[in-house]
Amino acid sequence: MSRSGRWIAGVLLAAFAARLVSIFAVSFVLRPDEIFQNLEPAHRLVTGYGVVTWEWRAGLRSWLMPEFYAAIMRLSADLGLGHAANVVHCVLAGLSLGLVGIAMAAGRKVAGPAGAALCAVAIAFWPDCILYGPRTLAEAQGGELLSAGVLLAGLWLRGSRGRAQAVAIGFLLALSVMVRLQYLPGAALAVLWCAAARPAAIPFLLAGALPALVLEGLVDWHASGVPFAPLWVNFHINYVQHRADVFGTQSILFYPFVLARGWGALTIPLVAGLVWGARSMRLELAAALAVVLTHSVIPHKEASFVFGAVPLLVVVAAAGVARQWQRIDRANMRLNAACGAMALACILALLSSYRVDRLENVPYLHAMHIAARTRDICGVGQFNPGFGDWMDSGGYTTLDRPIPLYFARTARELGAMAPGFDLLIAPDDTRPQLPSSYVPVSCWRKICVLRRTGGCRETAAPQISAELAAWGQ
């Protein structure tokens, strides 16, 4: 293997290792949607049981990605690993390396060897890419597809403009929209940009988009009998009825501030790099801004929603920095040192600014993992007056056992449900409200696992899916 080949292999292996550490070092969930919009329905496809939330009852979500995750879970079970979410995460971590390779090619086209190196290292170690690359959030996987499609489009516009590449661009961009509808503006901009540059490529762009559209249509038809129904229902509920707004609304300036807060000191070289690289990578920057701006006018916001713009911004900035680097280090004698400094800065930002995102729901997941490892239980209950805490323990994706699962918000509800479970998860400060028969087994970071003796019996109290339906959740 050549020296450059060894370097590329080293970056890819380091990127994969960084993503594996983010998966296995601490068990966490970035947002509950990662579970209940993706892994939980996949688990239900494989096992026949799982928590059903309002999006699935309303027909708001596509089964496209849950079907994909279910296939991985089936393979995982066949290999004796159970229906492990971490196996899904590892597969996604491997797939995310494709974006590192495309970023490397894009950087080389714009800024030579320095651009290839800095763009590859930036995508390999940028905090958002490490965190979101292995995650099942629609904005994470849709964002990876969108970024790959736009970067490939930029390469196509600057290169030979082959037909196969145009087909790949159409496929990636169309699939990104099927995974996350809200990425349509960025994907459409890229397609129109390519079509305007070379109208003869339009049939090939459409030919690439067709398989993604057919796949989504077939999955929807099989699930509900109506192709593309989830896309229309999603638009109607979230943007006509404004259902998402009940989960909170934020300022139009939310995304610049929340991204800068997460990136910390990395924001300074990023902005400088964007200024330096904007002229060379106009499509990539325009597509990223399209994602951020269109999301900014939507009232309900989450930091993860604009992930599709982040790799594009990072590549544009890294290419801009590389062009400046070539002026002071024409022979690239200190390029490895620059790459090392960039990787270290990214890792430090991940370990500092992103700490809350990584650790806030860990205690509940830890408790549910204990329940999953306790083989002789017949039911699991969760108790907390705080409504949203049922989401933090990971549902049946974490429990992975066909036993009843309950959630109680009051001592009265808990008393009605208690005959149905013999293991209880509850905050330590609620123990005075718990039945005296439950004895603590483990407490960690103020969340306790408690057991009682005796078995379980059927109760009229609703299990969690029925209770969520009663709450409209």
Side-chain angles (χ1 to χ4, degrees), residues 369-387:
H369 280 299
I370 292 176
R373 294 192 300 267
T374 307
R375 307 311 304 175
D376 59 341
I377 58 175
C378 51
V380 175
Q382 296 174 255
F383 174 67
N384 198 326
F387 167 77

Side-chain angles (χ1 to χ4, degrees), residues 22-106:
S22 79
I23 295 168
F24 291 104
V26 179
S27 180
F28 70 98
V29 173
L30 286 172
R31 290 200 302 110
D33 291 353
E34 183 182 341
I35 299 291
F36 295 102
Q37 292 181 9
N38 295 281
L39 289 173
E40 191 77 356
H43 187 277
R44 186 155 55 94
L45 284 173
V46 175
T47 65
Y49 60 90
V51 177
V52 182
T53 55
W54 72 274
E55 297 102 326
W56 297 99
R57 293 193 303 272
L60 179 71
R61 301 297 173 193
S62 167
W63 285 95
L64 181 62
M65 295 308 289
E67 288 278 8
F68 174 57
Y69 302 141
I72 299 173
M73 286 183 175
R74 291 188 185 98
L75 178 60
S76 173
D78 291 342
L79 295 175
L81 301 174
H83 310 109
N86 279 346
V87 175
V88 177
H89 294 150
C90 288
V91 171
L92 296 179
L95 293 175
S96 73
L97 300 182
L99 187 58
V100 178
I102 295 175
M104 184 184 300

Side-chain angles (χ1 to χ4, degrees), residues 1 3-19 96-97 99-101 103-104 116-125 336 339-340 343:
M1 183 182 293
R3 181 179 179 182
S4 62
R6 290 194 299 270
W7 190 91
I8 293 170
V11 170
L12 293 175
L13 285 173
F16 189 55
R19 285 150 177 78
S96 73
L97 300 182
L99 187 58
V100 178
M104 184 184 300
L118 291 176
C119 288
V121 170
I123 294 298
F125 296 104
N336 285 338
C339 290

Side-chain angles (χ1 to χ4, degrees), residues 247-261:
F247 299 102
T249 60
Q250 289 79 28
S251 160
I252 196 171
L253 298 176
F254 172 80
Y255 288 115
F257 282 103
V258 76
L259 291 175
R261 184 184 64 187

Side-chain angles (χ1 to χ4, degrees), residues 169-310:
I169 292 166
F171 177 75
L172 289 170
L173 294 175
L175 189 57
S176 73
V177 177
M178 296 302 100
V179 173
R180 179 164 174 81
L181 175 64
Q182 290 83 351
Y183 286 153
L184 176 60
L189 175 65
V191 170
L192 292 173
W193 200 299
C194 292
R198 190 177 181 185
I202 293 175
F204 302 101
L205 293 168
L206 295 177
L210 185 60
L213 297 173
V214 169
L215 181 61
E216 173 68 28
L218 289 174
V219 169
D220 295 341
W221 178 76
H222 181 264
S224 66
V226 181
F228 308 110
L231 299 178
W232 298 112
V233 173
N234 187 327
F235 181 83
H236 180 76
I237 289 179
N238 282 327
Y239 304 116
V240 177
Q241 298 181 348
H242 298 283
R243 172 67 186 270
D245 294 359
V246 303
F247 299 102
T249 60
Q250 289 79 28
S251 160
I252 196 171
L253 298 176
F254 172 80
Y255 288 115
F257 282 103
V258 76
L259 291 175
R261 184 184 64 187
W263 297 337
L266 290 176
T267 306
I268 298 173
L270 179 85
V271 172
L274 288 174
V275 173
W276 294 328
R279 182 173 297 179
S280 301
M281 305 188 82
R282 294 176 181 175
L283 167 60
E284 293 84 347
L285 181 58
L289 292 177
V291 170
V292 175
L293 293 175
T294 53
H295 278 79
S296 293
V297 299
I298 298 171
H300 175 62
K301 300 176 178 68
E302 299 284 352
S304 62
F305 285 175
V306 295
F307 171 71
V310 173

